[in-house]
Amino acid sequence: MLQAVKEAGGIMQRSFHGHFKISNKAGVNNLVTEVDHASEKAIISIIKKNFPDHYILSEEIGKIEMDSDYKWIVDPIDGTVNFANGIPICCVSIAVEYQGSIILGAVFNPFFNELFVAERGKGATLNDKPIQVSNKDDLSSACLVTGFPYNILDKPNGPLEIFNTLIRKGIPLRRLGSAAIDLCWVAAGRFDGFYEHKLEAWDSAAGFLMVEEAGGKVTDFKGNHYSPYQPELLATNGKIHTALQGCINGLKE
Ligand code: IPD
Ligand code: CA
Ligand code: CA
């Protein structure tokens, strides 16, 4: 896994200032670049070489179905719009699921040289040093991050309404453009909480484990234990979870 994220990170770094083809996927400004495909190809070839029997789910190519207890979940570039615009807030994200539970995750931002790794039951690290979520217990003084999905911005009581509610409370709320980095930065205590309405398994699988292993809490918007196979994600340091969940659901605190 480490070899794969480093190899993919190298591809991202070498291509960053060059010319690469950019195409549109479904939705508005939902981009994919040649570099996403090159990164994915390198990752998949490393997985296949080492674990030819494992199942792979990867954003651009989809599923490589195998009858295996192990599934690799790959986002070859998370934060493609940033990458395509020369904004170095983007990463490669890889997780390993074993019998339905995420057991390993790695997220690498080659531009900041930040490698986040988590192993179920063994904690989370940033460049080999243990990380922990923040201690803040008051939502009004929390620093939050969110993301806007490509396709449900016009949903009633959707991302824009909740953004509006939190901003009007005077809460600093950032939008970085990479869900995997958002989650890792919650794990590292830089943000106290992150929520997003519609994520895919490859966006969140590694970062979700990072937050849990750094002592945080990850659920859907109803407070159920998080599954990467449903869209909503709420990740916090645990202490502001109920308050932020209340805001998201439009409840009075
Ligand atoms: C996207 C990023 C973004 C989030 C979107 C994702 P991509 O992934 O994580 O922060 O808001 O929902 O789709 O397309 O850059 O891999
Ligand atoms: Ca993604
Ligand atoms: Ca991607």
Side-chain angles (χ1 to χ4, degrees):
M1 188 171 73
L2 296 179
Q3 188 193 344
V5 288
K6 286 178 186 167
E7 178 94 20
I11 292 171
M12 287 169 72
Q13 214 160 20
R14 287 193 294 279
S15 323
F16 197 55
H17 295 294
H19 291 287
F20 45 82
K21 202 170 149 224
I22 304 175
S23 334
N24 239 301
K25 299 196 283 187
V28 180
N29 278 320
N30 184 4
L31 309 180
V32 60
T33 73
E34 275 177 322
V35 189
D36 294 69
H37 294 300
S39 165
E40 183 172 66
K41 201 171 158 201
I43 294 165
I44 287 175
S45 103
I46 290 169
I47 298 170
K48 280 191 154 175
K49 193 169 157 212
N50 291 280
F51 304 104
D53 305 335
H54 288 188
Y55 191 114
I56 303 174
L57 169 65
S58 184
E59 180 174 11
E60 310 306 338
I61 60 147
K63 297 173 188 163
I64 300 178
E65 293 187 63
M66 292 294 216
D67 186 15
S68 169
D69 282 340
Y70 289 93
K71 186 198 274 186
W72 293 72
I73 306 175
V74 177
D75 195 338
I77 298 182
D78 186 58
T80 293
V81 174
N82 284 348
F83 181 82
N85 284 282
I87 300 168
I89 302 178
C90 43
C91 61
V92 45
S93 172
I94 303 181
V96 179
E97 188 185 279
Y98 175 69
Q99 293 185 342
S101 154
I102 307 291
I103 55 161
L104 272 180
V107 173
F108 182 43
N109 176 345
F111 307 104
F112 293 0
N113 193 25
E114 290 195 330
L115 173 62
F116 294 87
V117 177
E119 190 173 348
R120 172 84 54 209
K122 298 206 172 146
T125 56
L126 163 54
N127 293 344
D128 293 325
K129 296 200 179 77
I131 50 172
Q132 276 183 335
V133 292
S134 68
N135 262 322
K136 223 171 274 171
D137 55 9
D138 178 15
L139 180 62
S140 59
S141 61
C143 185
L144 304 178
V145 65
T146 189
F148 297 134
Y150 293 112
N151 53 3
I152 58 161
L153 280 172
D154 51 358
K155 197 180 164 212
N157 196 24
L160 294 179
E161 285 76 8
I162 292 159
F163 190 81
N164 185 44
T165 306
L166 290 165
I167 289 288
R168 285 184 186 282
K169 286 180 187 286
I171 297 171
L173 175 53
R174 308 294 184 236
R175 198 278 200 234
L176 299 185
S178 162
I181 290 179
D182 297 333
L183 285 161
C184 288
W185 287 21
V186 172
R190 295 173 183 167
F191 291 121
D192 306 301
F194 165 62
Y195 67 90
E196 189 158 341
H197 286 68
K198 193 176 180 305
L199 290 172
E200 302 288 346
W202 45 79
D203 300 313
S204 63
F208 144 65
L209 184 63
M210 217 69 66
V211 173
E212 286 201 336
E213 286 300 318
K217 184 169 177 178
V218 189
T219 66
D220 65 13
F221 290 172
K222 293 194 182 73
N224 300 313
H225 186 248
Y226 182 71
S227 157
Y229 302 103
Q230 59 79 53
E232 301 168 350
L233 182 148
L234 171 60
T236 71
N237 62 5
K239 299 196 156 91
I240 60 157
H241 206 88
T242 311
L244 184 53
Q245 194 188 329
C247 276
I248 289 172
N249 291 307
L251 304 173
K252 290 229 174 340
E253 285 165 68

